[in-house]
Amino acid sequence: MKQAKVISANEMKRLLAVVETGKHSARNRIAIMLSYYAGLRVGEIAALKNSDVFDKDFNVKDQIQLKAAYTKGNKARVVFVSDKLKREIRAFAKSVSNLVADRPFLVTQKNTPFSPNTLCQLFGKLYSDAGIDGASSHSGRRSFITKLAHSGISPKVIMTLAGHQHLTTTQRYIDVNDEMMREAVEVI
């Protein structure tokens, strides 16, 4: 099975430029950012409620507690929210007219919760509109894991952040290209 494309910095810029010109740009941008900066799966993003992301005063939480029902492995896990992602969430919150704790974090244009399938289709359309071949709803997650690995983060930490039970699963997500291998041998 072909894996989702890992998104380069230039492709991400192009994707965000396309998102900014389309309808529902704030919503679409935060969906991409949750995937790219936190490694969330589309099903996890679709399941989020405002109360998962914001505290009672609607400040962005430092950690998102993913309930077992949200995750692929049906195991609860903690997602750490980086400063970059916090800024993105705050910007998104400003675009929402009425934040209610028990409401879905992201809603469709009909103001209904996203299903994982509908969100997956949205990601596909955004990547296609940006002309990024081979990208899918899993590209942000693969990019997140690959960037961590290439930054020297411990494989055990990456595995835990990704919510994987086995290191071999995490290793399959990590992309390697010629430029990376060239840089690696120059370290010696």
Side-chain angles (χ1 to χ4, degrees):
M1 176 163 74
K2 188 166 171 51
Q3 289 191 313
K5 177 181 181 52
V6 172
I7 305 302
S8 71
N10 285 336
E11 288 168 327
M12 180 55 95
K13 286 178 187 173
R14 194 166 71 234
L15 174 63
L16 294 178
V18 166
V19 166
E20 290 305 314
T21 63
K23 285 184 175 180
H24 313 290
S25 60
R27 179 203 66 195
N28 295 348
R29 181 182 176 99
I30 197 61
I32 295 287
M33 293 305 177
L34 286 164
S35 175
Y36 190 78
Y37 284 140
L40 293 178
R41 297 174 180 95
V42 288
E44 296 165 345
I45 297 168
L48 288 175
K49 303 229 179 302
N50 286 325
S51 58
D52 297 320
V53 179
F54 301 105
D55 66 18
K56 63 181 176 54
D57 297 320
F58 288 97
N59 295 308
V60 180
K61 292 181 177 180
D62 292 330
Q63 300 174 7
I64 296 172
Q65 304 282 335
L66 290 180
K67 296 172 179 74
Y70 294 5
T71 68
K72 182 178 177 181
N74 208 29
K75 293 190 185 227
R77 81 171 196 273
V78 174
V79 174
F80 290 84
V81 181
S82 69
D83 289 340
K84 285 180 183 178
L85 185 54
K86 279 184 183 180
R87 283 191 297 275
E88 293 286 346
I89 293 170
R90 282 188 208 107
F92 169 70
K94 289 178 184 174
S95 75
V96 177
S97 59
N98 186 20
L99 283 176
V100 179
D102 63 347
R103 297 257 309 137
F105 182 65
L106 297 179
V107 293
T108 67
Q109 61 189 11
K110 295 178 182 176
N111 207 28
T112 59
F114 272 96
S115 71
N117 185 50
T118 304
L119 193 54
C120 184
Q121 290 174 18
L122 174 63
F123 272 79
K125 180 179 180 347
L126 294 172
Y127 284 123
S128 176
D129 289 351
I132 305 172
D133 293 330
S136 75
S137 61
H138 227 52
S139 290
R141 183 170 168 76
R142 278 203 71 217
S143 299
F144 171 77
I145 292 169
T146 296
K147 285 179 73 166
L148 291 173
H150 291 264
S151 297
I153 304 300
S154 159
K156 178 73 172 172
V157 171
I158 299 170
M159 180 183 89
T160 305
L161 288 172
H164 292 150
Q165 298 299 307
H166 304 284
L167 188 55
T168 54
T169 304
T170 306
Q171 289 172 322
R172 288 194 303 262
Y173 277 72
I174 299 168
D175 188 47
V176 176
N177 62 37
D178 289 347
E179 180 183 334
M180 294 169 191
M181 289 187 286
R182 230 181 326 277
E183 288 175 12
V185 297
E186 292 301 328
V187 171
I188 304 296

